[in-house]
Amino acid sequence: MIVLKISNASEVVASKVGRFLELLTPDSVDHAAVEDQVIKKLVENLAAEGLKGEIASINGLDINGDELLIAEGLKVRRHSSF
């Protein structure tokens, strides 16, 4: 299993739409939008390589150093198969 944590979603959104519009959107929207694009590109690239599997965006899961933290209310936000 591979876990990917995106830590600069707000900066990526700001660089794409501008700092002013980024300030108007909540961080949770920024993270969801960036995660959705990453998942889309990963699915495309992994499928093109002939790999099969699943990928998910999960709320309530975090990485802190070598620890995996699970919060109450763990929820799969988006799931895709490839």
Side-chain angles (χ1 to χ4, degrees):
M1 179 178 288
I2 297 171
V3 177
L4 172 68
K5 178 180 179 178
I6 299 170
S7 58
N8 68 336
S10 294
E11 290 86 5
V12 171
V13 170
S15 72
K16 301 292 183 188
V17 299
R19 180 60 65 187
F20 176 72
L21 289 177
E22 189 274 331
L23 291 173
L24 298 176
T25 61
D27 283 343
S28 61
V29 173
D30 294 348
H31 287 272
V34 170
E35 285 177 353
D36 289 346
Q37 286 301 309
V38 168
I39 288 173
K40 179 182 173 187
K41 292 296 184 181
L42 279 172
V43 166
E44 290 172 3
N45 292 324
L46 294 172
E49 293 295 327
L51 292 169
K52 293 182 181 182
E54 299 175 49
I55 189 168
S57 174
I58 302 174
N59 291 339
L61 190 64
D62 198 10
I63 301 171
N64 186 10
D66 61 352
E67 293 182 340
L68 186 61
L69 307 173
I70 301 172
E72 197 170 316
L74 185 70
K75 179 183 171 192
V76 176
R77 191 184 64 75
R78 179 178 172 158
H79 176 265
S80 296
S81 296
F82 54 92

